[in-house]
Every structure is written in C-alpha cells, then in structure tokens.
Amino acid sequence: RVEKNSYWFNHRNDILVHLAKKYSGNGIFLDVGGGNGVVSKALQNEGFNSVVIEPGRVGCLNSKERGVENIFCGEIQDLSLHPDVDIKSIGAFDVVEHVADDLEILNNMNMKLNKNGFLYITVPAFNSLWSNADVIAGHFRRYTKRSISKVVEDAGFEIVEIGYFFSFLFFPILLLKAIPAKLGLNKKNKDTTQRDHGTNDGLLTKLAKRRLKVESKKLKKGKKKWLGSSIFVVAKKI
C-alpha cells in the first residue's frame, strides 16, 4: 500500500538503479525475494530484463498488477535455467536479514550467476538500531559493512562497492525506536507504517525527501557516508 509513494522505497530504487546501470548495463536481472516487484518494476522501466523471484503467491500477484513482466513464483534454488541463459545480475533487496542462514542463500545466488556477474544487495545496518520493528519484520540480524562483507566474500564474491545510506535516519531510529525498545517502552503492536514511509506528504516528509535528494547526489559522485540505517553492496562473482 505504501511502496508507490514511500520516500524510503523511492530513494532505495534510485540508488539501486544507479548502481545497476553503473556495473551491469542491462540484461537479465534476477530479483530474489522480490516481494511486490517494486525494485523489478524500477529496473524494468530503465531497460533491464528484470525477473521477480518470489515464493509468496500474493507478492507475485502484486508484482503482476504493478506491471512486472517476468515473475517466477518460487525459491531461487528451484529456478531452472537453460545453459545459454546469461545471468549477469542478481539482487536481494532487504532479503538476507530475513533468512536464518544468510550464507546459504548467497551461495544459491552465486550458483545461478554467470562468471564475473554482479550481486546487488541491501540490508539493515547496525545492531544498535535493533528494535521491535525488526522483530515484527522477521529479521534475524542487522549488519555492519564488515559483517556483510564477510558473508558475501565467504559465498564466493569480491566486494566492488559498499556503503551506508539513509544516513539521516540513523539517529531518529536510535532515539525513537531502538533505545525505547531496549527500555521496554515500545508498543509492539502499534502500526507506524504510514508515518515511517511519509505517505501523508507532510512537512517532515518533505524535509526527508530533500535530505535524500542530497544523499543521492553525493553517493552517485562516490562520496560515502560513515553511517546510515541501511547498507548497499555491489559484489562480483570470482
């Protein structure tokens, strides 16, 4: 319900499309755990032959309604590919933190990717930001650049580019979610989705969009942030 107008999803798409163009150019892009197809549709709009790989039927139906042309309802390890099919790019966007064995899913992606192909992932950053929102979302962990680099490299990839983003959200999440959660003050069942994604387009949302536009310009120029609430990774199969 919120993805289309969410500053969070729109900013993430902006960064991911930039990275995909920078390293992969175009071609087939497998979007593992693609959910409702929000990333695949953005990639498709930019000329990529994106494919949603999603085990949930509802997510697949939502992807179809969104206009995603290629959808596989299942797990990445169940996808059968013709030997001549050239998979240059695989992405997993806020996915591996939902999996108990993150190394296993990255190994599965490595096996589907052609030699010298690129892996793109995003994950939530810093265990210090852990809150009830992570529990509700079904997260097993949050990462640092060092911890996500290790599991990616253990899966047979070489890090090409890595960085934090959503830098301005670090302290609000820490102060409004993580610390109250540690003190037992959070209301576990309170739904803050609309507020968190700025769908009301109020003053705070406008300020957030302005900050993200600045962050996007800096990241595209190669200027890295030293913290953020999320991490992006680009890695090459070796």
Side-chain angles (χ1 to χ4, degrees), residues 3-237:
E3 287 169 347
K4 183 178 180 180
N5 297 316
S6 163
Y7 67 77
W8 192 91
F9 282 102
N10 288 331
H11 181 61
R12 189 183 66 166
N13 276 354
D14 183 45
I15 299 301
L16 294 176
V17 168
H18 162 72
L19 292 170
K21 285 182 174 181
K22 181 177 179 179
Y23 292 104
S24 292
N26 51 30
I28 298 174
F29 196 118
L30 301 184
D31 179 8
V32 178
N36 302 308
V38 64
V39 178
S40 279
K41 186 59 166 62
L43 290 168
Q44 182 179 292
N45 290 346
E46 295 297 324
F48 286 87
N49 191 8
S50 58
V51 183
V52 165
I53 311 295
E54 170 58 43
R57 187 172 182 271
V58 173
C60 293
L61 291 173
N62 288 339
S63 295
K64 183 179 180 181
E65 184 177 350
R66 178 168 261 131
V68 177
E69 295 174 359
N70 305 302
I71 303 165
F72 175 76
C73 193
E75 304 279 358
I76 180 66
Q77 61 267 26
D78 301 323
L79 179 65
S80 297
L81 297 170
H82 191 278
D84 293 336
V85 173
D86 183 19
I87 305 298
K88 296 180 179 178
S89 310
I90 293 182
F93 307 115
D94 292 275
V95 171
V96 298
E97 69 273 13
H98 291 272
V99 181
D101 191 339
D102 50 3
L103 180 58
E104 180 181 15
I105 190 172
L106 289 170
N107 279 329
N108 288 334
M109 287 188 272
N110 185 300
M111 288 188 287
K112 297 295 183 183
L113 193 61
N114 284 8
K115 187 177 180 180
N116 297 322
F118 285 94
L119 170 73
Y120 301 83
I121 60 176
T122 57
V123 291
F126 296 110
N127 280 323
S128 59
L129 297 183
W130 184 271
S131 72
N132 292 327
D134 293 282
V135 178
I136 293 169
H139 294 172
F140 283 90
R141 67 197 75 80
R142 299 177 75 95
Y143 294 86
T144 61
K145 288 199 294 186
R146 178 179 293 181
S147 64
I148 190 61
S149 294
K150 184 180 186 306
V151 70
V152 167
E153 289 169 350
D154 287 347
F157 296 95
E158 177 184 12
I159 301 294
V160 174
E161 186 171 347
I162 185 170
Y164 294 110
F165 66 130
F166 291 109
S167 57
F168 87 100
L169 288 178
F170 180 90
F171 289 108
I173 292 174
L174 180 67
L175 296 173
L176 299 177
K177 290 190 174 185
I179 292 176
K182 289 176 174 61
L183 297 175
L185 301 177
N186 275 16
K187 296 180 180 179
K188 292 185 178 181
N189 298 321
K190 187 176 180 180
D191 185 0
T192 61
T193 303
Q194 298 284 343
R195 183 197 69 191
D196 293 346
H197 286 270
T199 55
N200 59 0
D201 204 29
L203 177 61
L204 292 176
T205 299
K206 290 176 181 178
L207 291 173
K209 288 179 178 179
R210 187 176 299 174
R211 290 290 302 274
L212 291 175
K213 185 177 291 187
V214 172
E215 179 180 87
S216 180
K217 288 181 179 178
K218 289 183 177 180
L219 287 174
K220 289 175 182 179
K221 291 179 179 179
K223 298 180 180 179
K224 296 295 190 295
K225 298 290 184 178
W226 60 277
L227 58 72
S229 63
S230 293
I231 303 170
F232 67 85
V233 181
V234 182
K236 192 173 185 179
K237 181 174 177 176

